Amino acid sequence: QSALTQPPSASGSPGQSVTISCTGTSSDIGGYNFVSWYQQHPGKTPKLMISEVSKRPSGVPDRFSGSKSGNTASLTVSGLQTEDEADYYCSSYAGSNNLVFGGGTKLTVL
Amino acid sequence: QLQLQESGPGLVKPSETLSLTCTVSGGSISTSTYYWAWIRQPPGKGLEWIGNIYYSGSTFYNQSLKSRVTISVDTSKNQFSLKVISVTAADTAVYYCARRVRTERTLDIWGQGTMVTVSS
């Protein structure tokens, strides 16, 4: 299975909103509502931020939201804060128990 | 609170076998709700799912790695393990173990990761 496509970088000023896209195919994102998003600060472990396209685990601020349209999923971070600066990875179920990740997007808070 | 901890050699010679173990604490590995997964991240690069195992021993692997990877489970020790044979420099990465929720297909709890370097 091929990796999902994410923009390498995104940026926004504190308080603004930014959206990160994740494009796949009908065999992964388009075929299942099992898209997850992970946040990874430098040198740290990935942290689950969104599961099943738009569900926030307990403890994740509601500034983080997810959506999907066709073969593209999106993560929106509203009210950007400096601590949101990190790498973000999408993943999708790809059938037959397979998981596929995106290449990652580096979010910079200007 | 459930925790996962990777352990194993940090340096492996080319053509040899990489072996890592993930110890699960604070909960049982023998649960029908979860799979147990391995993921890796080469330096400066993105995440790659390697595979996962169910407590019964059923395994699922990334097709690109399937010929070189074996994941096993030891329920008596609450551990699962990863072996990668015939390693090359391309296998140099931080290796993470994680809990994968079966119904949500998501990785909700991760270990801290362990760096493995393939070099002579």
Side-chain angles (χ1 to χ4, degrees):
Chain A
Q1 58 272 18
S2 300
L4 307 174
T5 300
Q6 295 182 237
S9 62
S11 63
S13 300
Q16 288 186 334
S17 294
V18 65
T19 297
I20 299 170
S21 63
C22 173
T23 301
T25 69
S26 58
S27 296
D28 38 64
I29 292 178
Y32 308 94
N33 287 322
F34 293 120
V35 177
S36 299
W37 290 90
Y38 302 90
Q39 176 191 66
Q40 187 179 35
H41 287 107
K44 301 297 185 182
T45 293
K47 175 187 176 183
L48 177 65
M49 304 300 283
I50 297 287
S51 67
E52 293 187 275
V53 177
S54 60
K55 293 183 178 179
R56 274 189 314 277
S58 174
V60 173
D62 60 6
R63 302 185 293 103
F64 291 85
S65 62
S67 62
K68 189 189 91 165
S69 178
N71 296 337
T72 299
S74 299
L75 172 72
T76 298
V77 186
S78 305
L80 271 174
Q81 299 184 3
T82 55
E83 59 262 36
D84 299 333
E85 186 162 296
D87 293 327
Y88 290 85
Y89 293 91
C90 61
S91 77
S92 175
Y93 183 66
S96 301
N97 225 285
N98 293 309
L99 277 181
V100 60
F101 284 97
T105 298
K106 181 177 180 59
L107 175 60
T108 301
V109 180
L110 302 170
Chain B
Q1 181 174 345
L2 192 93
Q3 292 185 318
L4 293 85
Q5 178 69 58
E6 306 87 351
S7 59
L11 180 65
V12 181
K13 290 182 169 54
S15 80
E16 295 190 345
T17 297
L18 179 161
S19 296
L20 296 174
T21 295
C22 181
T23 300
V24 179
S25 60
S28 175
I29 204 171
S30 300
T31 167
S32 61
T33 309
Y34 304 107
Y35 291 122
W36 305 93
W38 287 99
I39 304 97
R40 70 181 184 179
Q41 184 173 34
K45 296 187 178 181
L47 300 165
E48 180 180 37
W49 172 71
I50 299 171
N52 47 251
I53 192 164
Y54 193 51
Y55 76 94
S56 64
S58 299
T59 52
F60 302 91
Y61 299 120
N62 185 325
Q63 287 295 315
S64 67
L65 297 168
K66 186 175 182 178
S67 63
R68 298 193 298 123
V69 169
T70 302
I71 299 176
S72 58
V73 65
D74 186 336
T75 55
S76 67
K77 294 182 179 179
N78 230 31
Q79 296 176 333
F80 61 107
S81 299
L82 171 70
K83 289 189 188 298
V84 183
I85 65 171
S86 306
V87 296
T88 68
D91 294 307
T92 294
V94 175
Y95 285 77
Y96 295 98
C97 59
R99 187 176 78 173
R100 176 173 163 177
V101 185
R102 290 184 65 201
T103 53
E104 299 175 16
R105 278 75 160 181
T106 197
L107 301 159
D108 66 339
I109 299 177
W110 295 59
Q112 66 181 29
T114 187
M115 180 68 200
V116 178
T117 301
V118 178
S119 175
S120 55

